[in-house]
Amino acid sequence: MCIRIPRGTGPDDCCPYIAREYDEEMFCLVEQGFEAPLIAQFAWHGFFPMASRWSGKVVMLAKIHQKRCVLRLGELHISKKVRSRAKRFTLTVDRSWDAVFRGLDRFHVEHNGTCWLYPQLRDALRELHRPVAPPPLLEIEISAAAPPAAPGREAIMAKLRAAQAKAASPLRGARFHTVELWDDGGGGGGAGGAGGERVLVAADVGIAIGACYTSMSGFSDRAYPSAGAVQIAALAALLRARGFEVIDFGMSMAYKLELGATELPRGEWLALQAKLRNADVTLEASTAGTAAAAATDAAAAAAIHVAGARGGGGGGGGAAAAGADAAGEGEGGLHASALIQWMREQQQSVSA
């Protein structure tokens, strides 16, 4: 079912009503067109931003599912095959926009005849891809029930101010990311690059809001078996190290369920997303991110062992260098196998 959202009507006005009053899977045709704030605000409300051809022109859609496919990061299933094949791959973030979208175009055209990530949508997503300076923190009132000397009062105030500032921002703290998985040409299955050249074998694009990462689309090279599963597993580990809690996959597919994702009814999904969207976490490196990112960088670095340029040995560089590389800012990126091993250790420590 499709409903038109007229110009001048924003997501804050219509999304809660549509989600509450319509039981069907809904597509909202957004007459305002492709604007970064609109995309961010629809995602903020748990809707999935899309593009499609309608009456001969490209239009913006926002979809609300009856059931949403969501992976809680602690419930990721990591198979022996994925662990074995991860050894040759490296993960980066926001490293190669053009190569990622060329791969998406090839993949979608081969499988669907066209790629729904039309140029108009990409241009708007680029605005969410660039670093965005946070808005100034707004003054808020604290109840008199919390006296000035109350333990944790400053922490509570900081969280409330951050949440209020994010809600007031047109972009709602949303950031669009490209996530790349590379083969560096070293041994094992797959075609490998000529002369050891680095090859992009899988990628994902998505929007991060709070502690939720929404995967919009992805691809993998069939010449590299399990590369797509490795990329998702390594991304899940990095997200968890950064303080994220879930990957939102949108529609359900068999391979997503095999990785441990579950289908949430609309009400449960919207409640979960509303709970997570104000979390103070980021996928960027700690030098450009929050205190939460800095803390998780340091905690994860010792286990992940990132070398500054991939050839620099096991654990060189220390926590600070590892933190930068973890977000794809270093030369080499993260070893996928080390990320996945770190994730397994985290899961085992919780279950022990």
Side-chain angles (χ1 to χ4, degrees), residues 104-247:
L104 286 167
D105 282 335
R106 286 194 299 268
F107 181 84
H108 281 288
V109 169
E110 179 182 347
H111 290 83
N112 307 310
T114 187
C115 181
W116 63 269
L117 290 153
Y118 289 100
Q120 295 92 327
L121 177 57
R122 296 182 197 187
D123 289 344
L125 291 173
R126 268 198 183 274
E127 295 186 40
L128 300 179
H129 187 64
R130 302 186 184 107
V132 178
L137 295 180
L138 306 180
E139 290 299 323
I140 60 173
E141 295 183 1
I142 301 296
S143 169
R153 180 175 182 274
E154 290 303 319
I156 293 172
M157 289 183 65
K159 287 184 178 180
L160 288 172
R161 284 173 175 164
Q164 188 184 36
K166 185 179 288 187
S169 166
L171 299 183
R172 305 293 164 91
R175 286 296 307 276
F176 179 82
H177 295 287
T178 64
V179 181
E180 305 93 9
L181 189 74
W182 305 89
D183 173 63
D184 289 332
E197 179 185 353
R198 174 177 267 198
V199 177
L200 182 66
V201 300
D204 188 271
V205 295
I207 297 176
I209 297 182
C212 175
Y213 174 85
T214 294
S215 172
M216 295 182 68
S217 188
F219 75 89
S220 62
D221 189 331
R222 287 182 295 184
Y224 296 82
S226 300
V230 171
Q231 181 264 314
I232 293 173
L235 171 60
L238 176 58
L239 288 168
R240 187 169 186 184
R242 285 284 190 265
F244 286 76
E245 294 190 29
V246 302
I247 295 178

Side-chain angles (χ1 to χ4, degrees), residues 74-91:
E75 299 175 4
L76 173 70
H77 296 168
I78 305 173
S79 68
K80 290 182 179 179
K81 182 185 295 184
V82 166
R83 296 201 306 270
S84 174
R85 291 179 172 167
K87 296 176 182 178
R88 64 180 292 159
F89 298 127
T90 301
L91 189 80

Side-chain angles (χ1 to χ4, degrees), residues 255-267:
Y255 79 90
K256 301 173 185 177
L257 300 177
E258 290 172 1
L259 288 166
T262 57
E263 292 182 328
L264 297 184
R266 180 184 297 176

Side-chain angles (χ1 to χ4, degrees), residues 91 95 238 242 284-287 294 296-302 304-310 312-335:
L91 189 80
R95 182 69 64 83
L238 176 58
R242 285 284 190 265
E284 287 80 23
S286 57
T287 52
T296 52
D297 283 347
I304 293 173
H305 301 302
V306 182
R310 178 74 179 177
D325 259 352
E329 293 186 2
E331 288 299 318
L334 273 173
H335 302 308

Side-chain angles (χ1 to χ4, degrees), residues 53-72:
R53 285 200 174 274
W54 190 286
S55 300
K57 65 179 182 178
V58 176
V59 297
M60 178 177 163
L61 300 176
K63 182 179 181 180
I64 184 68
H65 301 72
Q66 285 182 309
K67 293 183 178 181
R68 199 73 162 230
C69 185
V70 175
L71 172 65
R72 298 179 188 271

